[in-house]
């Protein structure tokens, strides 16, 4: 598996008469992109806005974040199988991507004009704090202390769509198609160009003197409520069902083989995974990156969870892994499955690091992890997702036709308890560190 | 507590945990016939009632398949 990854930096994104990338600037034709989205009869209105990091903007109604990436050679398409794409295995040939840019999908219940970007009309002091006094997050600040990684460096192309018609599966399909149309069209601006930056990853060669490492991310399956054939939720090559672990080449993940529906982490984080890219860059130098073991969670009996953990660990062992990095994507029983995988790997003599968020410690009264085992020896915490400062008032809100006035005002801290969070970090993008007392 | 995944309440040091069927149907099994499902539900609930009357020294898991006996288990 050999992948050439060509990167096109985006220092600025601007509205213009055509859609093209030149000299690190992405020019975007609003009319062209909105016409593409409105081709779908399920979508009656949509808006397109550009947001630079640092602008006093709050994004609400967010549902997805996508990287703009395209295969220029080699089999398959980015985000394989999704929305009717080819089933061919990805991860080979050449992929082009726009860097420092992402497509945001917002969904509003009301009819939209070409722009869903609103300035506050009233004085910012007049609008109160969060509704009900309790801030449950659900928005994104592009400036101030709430402008967390990766959004502090991402130019956002924000597509706001009026809630599509139809049943849940149809609506989800329409939303997915709309976001992908934008991501594809933007990525295709790079197809015939020479990438300013190029990396080559070759996973076919192994240096036998280097230790083998695997990455074992856990993704919840919604099969227990939606059935095995739903297209909603996280998918591996389009499969959302609860299955035995999938073994992927790292470059398959880079090409979007794991696709996140609306959910906790995002497509951007998956196809841009910090763990995958960092291990891939070390392949052949300090380690052999043996692969990504995609573990599905939401098995619903203790025995099934134990079995799934055992299979993932055995697979890692048979690949020759001496080390593993494990991540999760949700709390509760899914975290238990993640902890069981860590335990099973350690029992197979694989040194395992768990990279995870924590539960809030409730002023010292509660443990940071839901469950723990003595075998879990190394944990890297990405924090609780809570946010202890207030979010200052903002000048503009993006993502709704007529945002409620309270969105413009100061928002209180997010307490981080019981999974309430601002921007959870399941993938290790944050820059937090800690002091040892 | 009746739970399909006893590890979690045991870790929270719940004294008496009865092993249930599945997270989505803890006290029975809709894949069985109505009669078998009802018998299963009865067995699980009876185990729970039995557990409530049993002295325990720490978190203990009660298995309906092994009633009237019980299995000692600890969080670690």
């Amino acid at each position: 598996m050999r992948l050439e990854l060509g990167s096109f930096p985006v220092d600025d994104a601007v509205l213009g008469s055509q859609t093209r990338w030149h000299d690190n600037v992405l020019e975007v034709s609003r009319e062209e992109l909105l016409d593409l989205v409105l081709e779908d009869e399920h979508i009656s209105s949509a808006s397109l806005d550009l947001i630079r990091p640092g602008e006093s903007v709050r994004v609400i109604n967010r549902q997805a974040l996508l990287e703009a990436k395209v295969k220029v050679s080699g089999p398959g398409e980015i985000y394989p199988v999704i929305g009717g794409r080819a089933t061919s295995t990805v991860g080979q040939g050449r992929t082009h991507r726009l860097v420092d840019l992402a497509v945001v999908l917002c969904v509003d219940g009301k009819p939209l004009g070409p722009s869903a970007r609103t300035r506050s009309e009233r004085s910012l002091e007049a609008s109160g704090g969060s509704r009900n006094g309790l801030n449950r997050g659900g928005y994104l600040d592009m400036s101030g202390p709430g402008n967390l990684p990766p959004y502090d460096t991402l130019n956002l192309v924000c597509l706001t769509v009026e809630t599509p018609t139809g049943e849940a599966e149809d609506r989800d399909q329409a939303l997915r198609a709309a976001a992908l149309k934008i991501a594809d069209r933007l990525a295709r601006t790079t197809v015939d160009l020479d990438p300013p930056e190029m990396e080559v990853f070759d996973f076919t060669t192994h240096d036998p003197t280097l230790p083998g490492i695997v990455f074992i991310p856990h993704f919840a399956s919604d099969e227990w409520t939606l059935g095995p054939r739903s297209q909603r939720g996280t998918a591996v090559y389009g499969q959302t069902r609860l299955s035995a672990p999938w073994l992927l080449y790292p470059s398959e993940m880079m090409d979007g083989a794991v696709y996140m529906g609306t959910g906790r982490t995002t497509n951007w984080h998956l196809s841009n995974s910090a763990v995958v890219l960092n291990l891939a860059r070390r392949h052949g130098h300090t380690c052999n990156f043996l692969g990504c073991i995609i573990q599905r969670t939401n098995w619903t009996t203790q025995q099934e969870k134990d079995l799934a953990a055992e299979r993932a660990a055995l697979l890692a062992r048979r690949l020759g892994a001496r080390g593993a990095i494990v991540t999760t994507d949700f709390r509760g029983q899914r975290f238990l499955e993640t902890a069981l995988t860590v335990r099973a790997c350690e029992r197979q003599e694989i040194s395992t690091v768990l990279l995870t968020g924590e539960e809030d410690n409730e002023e010292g009264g509660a443990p940071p992890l839901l469950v723990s085992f003595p075998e879990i020896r190394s944990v890297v915490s990405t924090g609780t997702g809570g946010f202890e400062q207030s979010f200052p008032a903002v000048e503009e809100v993006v993502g709704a036709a007529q945002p409620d006035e309270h969105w413009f005002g100061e928002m209180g801290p997010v307490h981080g308890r019981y999974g309430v969070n601002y921007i959870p970090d399941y993938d290790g993008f944050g820059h937090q560190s800690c002091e040892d007392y | 507590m009746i739970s399909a995944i006893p590890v979690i309440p045991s870790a929270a040091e719940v004294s008496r945990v009865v092993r249930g069927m599945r997270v989505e149907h803890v006290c029975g099994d809709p894949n069985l016939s109505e009669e078998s499902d009802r018998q299963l539900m009865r067995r699980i609930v009876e185990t729970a009632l039995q557990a409530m009357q049993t002295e325990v020294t720490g978190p203990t898991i009660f298995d309906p398949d092994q009633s009237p006996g019980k299995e000692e288990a600890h969080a670690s």
Side-chain angles (χ1 to χ4, degrees):
Chain A
M1 267 291 173
R2 183 179 179 279
L3 179 72
E4 297 172 357
L5 183 62
S7 298
F8 292 74
V10 176
D11 295 336
D12 199 15
V14 298
L15 290 174
S17 53
Q18 47 185 317
T19 303
R20 61 181 182 135
W21 179 93
H22 63 106
D23 295 326
N24 293 12
V25 173
L26 181 71
E27 193 182 331
V28 173
S29 162
R30 179 185 262 154
E31 298 78 48
E32 181 195 350
L33 296 189
L34 288 180
D35 282 345
L36 275 176
V37 168
L38 293 170
E39 279 170 5
D40 185 343
E41 59 186 7
H42 291 104
I43 297 180
S44 35
S45 65
S47 320
L48 195 86
D49 293 286
L50 303 182
I51 311 168
R52 294 179 182 86
E55 290 194 270
S56 180
V57 170
R58 182 165 288 150
V59 184
I60 62 174
N61 294 333
R62 271 181 318 138
Q63 289 212 10
L65 188 78
L66 275 84
E67 203 181 8
K69 240 171 181 169
V70 65
K71 297 296 302 174
V72 299
S73 76
E77 304 175 65
I78 299 296
Y79 309 124
V81 186
I82 302 301
R85 291 167 190 230
T87 48
S88 312
T89 303
V90 292
Q92 295 180 74
R94 182 189 282 204
T95 297
H96 281 181
R97 65 171 180 165
L98 293 172
V99 179
D100 292 334
L101 182 109
V103 176
V104 183
L105 174 71
C106 298
V107 184
D108 189 28
K110 302 214 179 80
L112 298 155
S115 167
R117 186 163 173 153
T118 317
R119 288 198 73 86
S120 172
E121 282 170 12
R122 290 202 253 133
S123 142
L124 292 176
E125 282 91 341
S127 42
S130 6
R131 256 194 296 228
N132 307 323
L134 202 63
N135 190 352
R136 300 191 159 273
Y139 55 89
L140 163 64
D141 275 10
M142 288 300 281
S143 64
N147 188 217
L148 299 179
Y151 306 100
D152 53 348
T153 54
L154 284 179
N155 287 288
L156 299 182
V157 175
C158 184
L159 173 71
T160 310
V161 165
E162 187 182 348
T163 310
T165 54
E167 299 293 318
E169 289 277 341
D170 298 327
R171 282 201 305 270
D172 207 70
Q173 206 162 310
L175 291 174
R176 189 169 44 235
L180 286 172
K181 277 180 187 168
I182 304 294
D184 286 348
R185 180 64 190 92
L186 296 180
R188 282 204 298 273
T189 59
T190 67
V191 163
D192 295 317
L193 306 177
D194 275 322
E197 292 156 25
M198 177 79 98
E199 281 184 273
V200 178
F201 300 103
D202 194 338
F203 299 106
T204 49
T205 54
H206 277 182
D207 181 339
T209 64
L210 296 174
I213 312 278
V214 290
F215 174 42
I216 312 179
H218 289 64
F219 299 111
S221 163
D222 290 320
E223 178 175 320
W224 61 317
T225 49
L226 301 179
R229 291 181 194 83
S230 171
Q231 286 298 295
R232 287 181 276 160
T234 314
V236 184
Y237 281 95
Q239 309 306 309
T240 60
R241 69 183 63 206
L242 195 51
S243 65
W246 294 75
L247 176 60
L248 300 186
Y249 284 98
S251 51
E252 293 182 79
M253 264 195 89
M254 292 180 201
D255 274 352
V258 183
Y259 184 93
M260 170 68 72
T262 65
R264 299 152 288 284
T265 188
T266 74
N267 281 300
W268 189 91
H269 290 84
L270 290 181
S271 62
N272 230 340
S273 166
V275 175
V276 172
L277 279 169
N278 274 287
L279 285 175
R281 287 172 181 140
R282 286 168 168 74
H283 177 78
H285 303 292
T286 54
C287 72
N288 287 318
F289 188 8
L290 302 172
C292 303
I293 297 175
I294 310 298
Q295 181 77 318
R296 303 310 308 254
T297 62
N298 261 340
W299 297 98
T300 52
T301 68
Q302 187 69 59
Q303 295 93 317
E304 286 173 351
K305 291 177 196 293
D306 292 335
L307 176 67
E310 193 64 31
R311 297 323 301 179
L314 281 175
L315 181 52
R317 175 74 181 246
R318 292 185 70 175
L319 287 171
R322 298 262 312 282
I325 298 179
V326 173
T327 62
T328 187
D329 81 335
F330 208 10
R331 305 165 59 246
Q333 57 164 332
R334 283 121 327 224
F335 178 80
L336 168 62
E337 291 174 63
T338 309
L340 288 171
T341 301
V342 175
R343 180 173 76 169
C345 286
E346 286 282 354
R347 287 178 174 175
Q348 293 292 337
E349 295 170 333
I350 299 169
S351 297
T352 311
V353 174
L354 172 61
L355 171 66
T356 181
E358 305 175 34
E359 299 288 332
D360 183 72
N361 67 24
E362 300 182 34
E363 277 104 48
L369 301 179
L370 174 67
V371 289
S372 190
F373 305 112
E375 291 88 350
I376 301 180
R377 299 177 297 141
S378 306
V379 183
V380 174
S381 168
T382 59
T384 64
F387 199 84
E388 299 190 356
Q389 306 173 58
S390 295
F391 301 82
V394 296
E395 291 170 20
E396 292 176 282
V397 167
V398 176
Q402 290 140 31
D404 201 89
E405 268 306 311
H406 86 280
W407 288 115
F408 294 90
E410 181 179 311
M411 310 285 277
V414 178
H415 62 61
R417 292 217 183 141
Y418 313 127
V420 173
N421 50 50
Y422 171 53
I423 295 179
D425 183 7
Y426 291 105
D427 313 283
F429 273 93
H431 294 162
Q432 285 177 299
S433 58
C434 66
E435 289 280 343
D436 225 6
Y437 288 90
Chain B
M1 177 171 180
I2 304 176
S3 172
I5 14 178
V7 167
I8 295 182
S10 295
E13 303 198 343
V14 173
S15 322
R16 299 167 180 78
V17 181
V18 174
R19 185 188 302 276
M21 295 306 297
R22 276 188 182 279
V23 169
E24 57 265 48
H25 48 78
V26 184
C27 286
D29 186 347
N31 295 310
L32 297 174
S33 69
E34 201 175 314
E35 189 49 43
S36 299
D37 184 23
R38 192 173 298 124
Q39 284 176 5
L40 174 59
M41 196 184 325
R42 205 185 163 85
R43 197 157 70 241
I44 293 172
V45 173
E46 277 176 353
T47 306
L49 294 172
Q50 184 72 29
M52 275 166 60
Q53 301 168 67
T54 311
E55 284 283 334
V56 296
T57 49
T60 309
I61 298 176
F62 294 80
D63 206 319
D65 290 339
Q66 291 176 21
S67 45
K70 69 178 200 282
E71 135 203 355
E72 283 272 340
H74 300 280
S76 57

